[in-house]
Amino acid sequence: TRDAIYRWAGLAQRQALHRRVVEALQARSATDGEDGFLEALAYHHAAAGNPERAAHYSLLAGDKAMAAAALDRAQAHYRVALDVLGRKGDPQSFYRAIHRFGFACVADPAPDQLVVLETAATQAHAAGNSDAVTLCRYWLGTINYGLGQSRASVAHLMAALSGIDNLGNARLKLQLQANLGQSHSAGGDYVQATQWLDKALADLAAAKPG
């Protein structure tokens, strides 16, 4: 039925109908709260031609799925946000979407996640968003490690290392150093593995008060 209606209606009419659905959902949200309508709002905003609002609600829907440990659903929502924000969007929102997508992937790494992050890295580079590029390289290195690709993991993590201080995230830097140690160890380079793990432990100890 949906396909038949879509073939019958023109783009302008379809978008107008989706905008009417958005208005109805927002009216319901005003009394019942948005939490139960996040996925629907993301979908209908996208179909209505409101990409920024679609990205906003996709991120919220992804966060809701993460809170429920529905990692596949979270990844799907974050991919929608990345697709929109990578083409046109606020650089900080794009950065946050990359980080959330990475968190949703790390527990269950898969090759298709690498494609998403490589695309995001290319878009971030074209936009001059060096922080987002660094974050993409961090997650590419982390996910490659989870997939058993130690050489690729080291290459991406080393690429991220050059810009990690600019992110101002000390915890992420510590994790990157630890990940480098693990990736070198998985590749059989135990000298480098020991150096990076020792570096991570030393920085962790220095960061602790007292």
Side-chain angles (χ1 to χ4, degrees):
T1 302
R2 176 188 177 280
D3 292 344
I5 293 172
Y6 259 59
R7 286 193 296 269
W8 167 76
L11 175 62
Q13 188 173 8
R14 293 200 304 269
Q15 289 182 333
L17 289 169
H18 282 291
R19 283 194 291 272
R20 289 177 61 184
V21 176
V22 166
E23 291 171 0
L25 289 170
Q26 289 176 332
R28 287 285 303 276
S29 298
T31 56
D32 299 341
E34 287 186 336
D35 196 56
F37 304 104
L38 297 176
E39 292 190 20
L41 283 165
Y43 170 75
H44 289 290
H45 268 298
N50 304 325
E52 291 83 1
R53 299 304 294 164
H56 170 74
Y57 284 109
S58 292
L59 285 173
L60 292 178
D63 292 346
K64 180 182 176 182
M66 280 290 287
L71 300 183
D72 288 348
R73 294 301 304 155
Q75 290 174 35
H77 291 306
Y78 292 145
R79 286 186 191 207
V80 172
L82 284 170
D83 181 58
V84 172
L85 296 169
R87 289 182 283 109
K88 179 185 177 182
D90 172 61
Q92 286 301 314
S93 296
F94 189 41
Y95 179 94
R96 288 194 295 271
I98 292 167
H99 211 20
R100 294 177 189 181
F101 178 75
F103 273 118
C105 295
V106 70
D108 187 21
D112 63 297
Q113 299 162 2
L114 302 177
V115 177
V116 175
L117 288 167
E118 286 285 11
T119 300
T122 300
Q123 292 170 326
H125 179 75
N129 190 344
S130 58
D131 287 350
V133 173
T134 296
L135 192 61
C136 285
R137 293 300 163 202
Y138 168 81
W139 284 116
L140 282 163
T142 301
I143 292 169
N144 267 293
Y145 170 76
L147 293 172
Q149 306 293 332
S150 58
R151 184 174 298 179
S153 176
V154 168
H156 285 297
L157 292 172
M158 288 301 295
L161 188 66
S162 62
I164 197 69
D165 286 329
N166 293 332
L167 303 187
N169 189 330
R171 178 178 293 182
L172 193 69
K173 181 178 180 179
L174 284 170
Q175 188 61 59
L176 187 152
Q177 293 170 342
N179 290 356
L180 270 169
Q182 292 173 325
S183 295
H184 276 298
S185 178
D189 190 343
Y190 301 113
V191 173
Q192 285 290 326
T194 300
Q195 289 177 354
W196 282 110
L197 290 171
D198 285 347
K199 173 65 174 170
L201 289 171
D203 287 355
L204 179 62
K208 289 183 178 180

